[in-house]
Amino acid sequence: MRKRSNEVEVERDVKVTMPDGVVLLADVYHPVGVDDAPTILERTPYGRRGVSSGAGPEFAARGYRYLLQACRGTDGSSGSHSYFMEAPDGRATADWIAQQPWFNGSLGTYGASYMGFTQWALASTRPPHLKAMVVALAASVRAFSWYPGGSLALEVIIPWDLGATQFNKEPNANTITDVSPEAIRQRMAELRAGFDHLPLGDVIRHLTGVDLQLYQDQLAHAGLDDPFWSPLDYSALLTDWTVPTLLVDGWHDYPLPRVLEDYAALRSSAAPVGLRIGAGGHLGGGGEGGMTDAPLAWFDTYLRGEDGLLPHRRVTIEVQGEAGGWRELDDWPPPTNSTRWYLHPNGRLAPDTPSSPSPPDHYRYDPANPTPSIGGIGMLTGGPVDNRELEARPDVLVYTSDPLSEPLVLIGDVEAELWVNSNLDHTDFFVRLCDVSPDGSSVNLCDGLRRLEPSSIRRSADGSFRVSVPMWPAGHRFGAGHRLRVQVSSGAHPVYARNLGTNEHIATATTMRAAEQAVYHEPGKLSFVTLPET
């Protein structure tokens, strides 16, 4: 990877006119004295002096020309912000770049989160000069992050939509200032008032005094299968994709399962593909070097033709837990032994099956006092944290293994299957896997939620039924003496919007019904998690 060796000149407020007459503003970072510099494009709604601006001077100092553009309706770009305009705007920008006298014929794209989405939007138009992509913390299906497990990701949607209400209020302002992670953390009391407000359809107006059509659309079309979001689903592109693409994410990031589906699709295409999963969640995902060294090595390889810079294997992961560290894999998921760890009476977790009948465990989920989200895939509050306070709640069941006699490494997909009962046909089940240290701390490593409604429940004669809960993948090492722990509850609010227990529409619902839940652990009604042991 090239070192910082170039001086950088910045051309501010460069105007790029879209086919409909809207003018988008960009800053272009030029590497002084480099005539054949490849161009890297990043398109952001967060302001050109905000979270995106750091890459410009860094990449330009290494001999790249870097164009950072404000999406329409943000940071001085005219028009109104729209998800649905990112594809045509991106393509018009790529075509404009191709006409510039400094363009050398090689275009790369870069960015994380929304700036990953703008890359997939541009890619869907198949620009001829696109030669490499580094997509971080973003999936090819935009709506995936909004409806995890069939629920509603309030902690993703509301903070972002609050920021969207600020776009273009001050055309030359850096709009990210109002919605940066630091600012959002300072406003958590205000956000909590939004997360807990009912009906959900009034939240943005309740917090800001104005409404937002995007938010109303997210509630009106609350599902991945709603055709309203089809124009923002770029997954069909991947089957015959040819552009070298590096995917970067973190173990606790909310798009990760779909990112791994993107990787699998790209593996079946002609495109060279790399995958990197590091520590952290949406804030800081990708691990150390995930947004600097790894992208630069990718661009040096595919935009400059330099050899010997990439890992020897296509997948690089950072194994979490005691004595984890970075590993290279031939593919994802790697070969593993799928083992079941069963829930037993008296809060026991073990690889053997329960051998005798036992009464189920019970808890009551009350949406008026919902089980809170602590760590996990939250955009603002995600990541690994000590769960002991959560596990002390009466609405959380806990099952713990004996101490491990030797280390246990999990790398791959995790899933739970529960045999349960509920007095409601509209309810959720949430499952979390934790690593319990000898000192008693219980740190989450993956989880998942499944939202149920009558058509998804097949009750047996006594009313009980099975439910499968896909969980986030894991890359974790349990040290000797540590214990595995499984939590079962019915919520993680506001990462997953609380289930009110009724059939009212999510935008207008206010009635709340408590759920009386039962979890079985006996022959014929087995509950377990399936773990990828290496």
Side-chain angles (χ1 to χ4, degrees):
M1 184 180 65
R2 296 193 177 194
K3 296 181 179 180
R4 300 177 98 256
S5 59
N6 295 99
E7 294 184 9
V8 178
E9 292 182 349
V10 185
E11 190 178 0
R12 302 285 188 190
D13 297 331
V14 176
K15 296 180 179 180
V16 183
T17 303
M18 300 294 102
D20 62 355
V22 164
V23 176
L24 307 186
L25 299 184
D27 294 341
V28 184
Y29 295 80
H30 298 281
V32 176
V34 182
D35 295 330
D36 62 343
T39 299
I40 296 174
L41 170 65
E42 181 177 7
R43 304 189 62 252
T44 177
Y46 298 133
R48 289 162 291 144
R49 311 295 190 274
V51 294
S52 305
S53 61
E58 286 298 313
F59 281 58
R62 289 169 171 83
Y64 289 95
R65 185 167 281 104
Y66 201 91
L67 193 145
L68 180 61
Q69 184 181 65
C71 297
R72 71 167 56 205
T74 73
D75 193 21
S77 291
S78 60
S80 297
H81 180 262
S82 170
Y83 282 106
F84 298 95
M85 292 304 297
E86 300 299 10
D89 285 356
R91 179 54 186 270
T93 301
D95 291 344
W96 178 88
I97 290 172
Q99 298 171 1
Q100 301 311 300
W102 39 254
F103 184 59
N104 78 338
S106 292
L107 175 65
T109 60
Y110 168 88
S113 190
Y114 194 95
M115 291 76 83
F117 162 64
T118 59
Q119 289 186 71
W120 285 126
L122 169 59
S124 71
T125 71
R126 300 181 183 270
H129 300 291
L130 183 60
K131 302 295 174 60
M133 300 172 64
V134 176
V135 182
L137 316 180
S140 66
V141 181
R142 180 60 183 168
F144 178 87
S145 298
W146 299 334
Y147 309 115
S151 179
L152 184 72
L154 284 187
E155 206 191 70
V156 172
I157 290 173
I158 288 178
W160 202 96
D161 289 1
L162 282 175
T165 65
Q166 303 299 315
F167 288 164
N168 240 19
K169 279 190 173 182
E170 299 178 49
N172 296 313
N174 173 19
T175 54
I176 189 62
T177 302
D178 295 312
V179 292
S180 67
E182 294 78 12
I184 288 173
R185 289 191 183 99
Q186 294 173 5
R187 296 167 57 199
M188 280 304 293
E190 176 188 359
L191 286 170
R192 176 59 63 181
F195 295 147
D196 294 344
H197 182 80
L198 292 175
L200 286 178
D202 290 343
V203 167
I204 300 299
R205 187 185 307 109
H206 173 70
L207 294 177
T208 68
V210 297
D211 211 341
L212 181 69
Q213 187 59 47
L214 168 62
Y215 180 68
Q216 296 303 325
D217 289 340
Q218 288 167 323
L219 297 181
H221 306 281
L224 276 176
D225 57 351
D226 193 302
F228 184 83
W229 303 117
S230 295
L232 306 182
D233 180 350
Y234 307 117
S235 57
L237 168 79
L238 306 181
T239 57
D240 63 348
W241 192 234
T242 60
V243 176
T245 303
L246 174 63
L247 304 177
V248 180
D249 212 339
W251 292 115
H252 295 279
D253 194 19
Y254 50 85
L256 179 60
R258 180 63 236 189
V259 170
L260 294 176
E261 290 186 48
D262 291 347
Y263 169 79
L266 289 169
R267 280 284 284 117
S268 300
S269 73
V273 58
L275 173 66
R276 178 187 175 95
I277 308 174
H282 202 65
L283 303 180
E288 184 178 357
M291 293 305 299
T292 52
D293 295 349
L296 282 165
W298 193 261
F299 288 133
D300 284 351
T301 298
Y302 291 107
L303 296 183
R304 297 186 186 278
E306 299 180 5
D307 297 325
L309 300 176
L310 299 181
H312 296 295
R313 300 176 181 180
R314 72 176 71 238
V315 177
T316 305
I317 67 169
E318 186 176 9
V319 176
Q320 302 295 278
E322 183 178 275
W326 287 96
R327 299 189 182 194
E328 292 184 17
L329 307 174
D330 291 326
D331 208 351
W332 180 274
T336 58
N337 295 317
S338 294
T339 59
R340 292 179 175 180
W341 287 70
Y342 293 89
L343 279 55
H344 285 253
N346 302 314
R348 180 170 170 258
L349 181 71
D352 59 291
T353 59
S355 58
S356 60
S358 62
D361 295 324
H362 295 273
Y363 66 94
R364 186 174 192 266
Y365 174 77
D366 184 357
N369 180 27
T371 315
S373 54
I374 295 179
I377 63 165
M379 182 173 73
L380 308 178
T381 59
V385 297
D386 192 341
N387 278 234
R388 282 179 286 188
E389 181 179 351
L390 176 66
E391 292 166 353
R393 287 178 59 102
D395 54 1
V396 179
L397 301 180
V398 175
Y399 302 86
T400 309
S401 75
D402 294 333
L404 296 169
S405 59
E406 57 185 25
L408 173 66
V409 178
L410 307 180
I411 300 176
D413 298 327
V414 180
E415 186 172 24
E417 183 170 303
L418 305 178
W419 199 285
V420 300
N421 205 339
S422 177
N423 65 317
L424 302 179
D425 289 335
H426 294 272
T427 191
D428 294 345
F429 283 94
F430 177 82
V431 182
R432 167 169 283 183
L433 179 64
C434 292
D435 180 345
V436 182
S437 299
D439 66 4
S441 59
S442 177
V443 176
N444 56 290
L445 60 111
C446 66
D447 50 54
L449 178 140
R450 176 82 183 277
R451 176 149 294 187
L452 301 173
E453 40 84 24
S455 67
S456 59
I457 296 175
R458 298 289 182 268
R459 294 185 184 270
S460 58
D462 65 355
S464 61
F465 57 94
R466 277 188 301 204
V467 56
S468 294
V469 183
M471 299 166 67
W472 258 236
H476 190 87
R477 183 183 185 274
F478 291 81
H482 288 232
R483 294 175 290 163
L484 286 74
R485 176 168 290 168
V486 169
Q487 301 173 14
V488 179
S489 64
S490 287
H493 179 76
V495 169
Y496 303 86
R498 56 184 163 171
N499 194 322
L500 301 186
T502 72
N503 194 31
E504 294 180 81
H505 192 275
I506 192 170
T508 56
T510 55
T511 303
M512 291 185 275
R513 295 184 62 193
E516 303 293 341
Q517 314 289 61
V519 178
Y520 296 82
H521 35 59
E522 61 179 353
K525 294 181 180 178
L526 300 174
S527 297
F528 54 87
V529 292
T530 302
L531 303 181
E533 298 187 12
T534 63

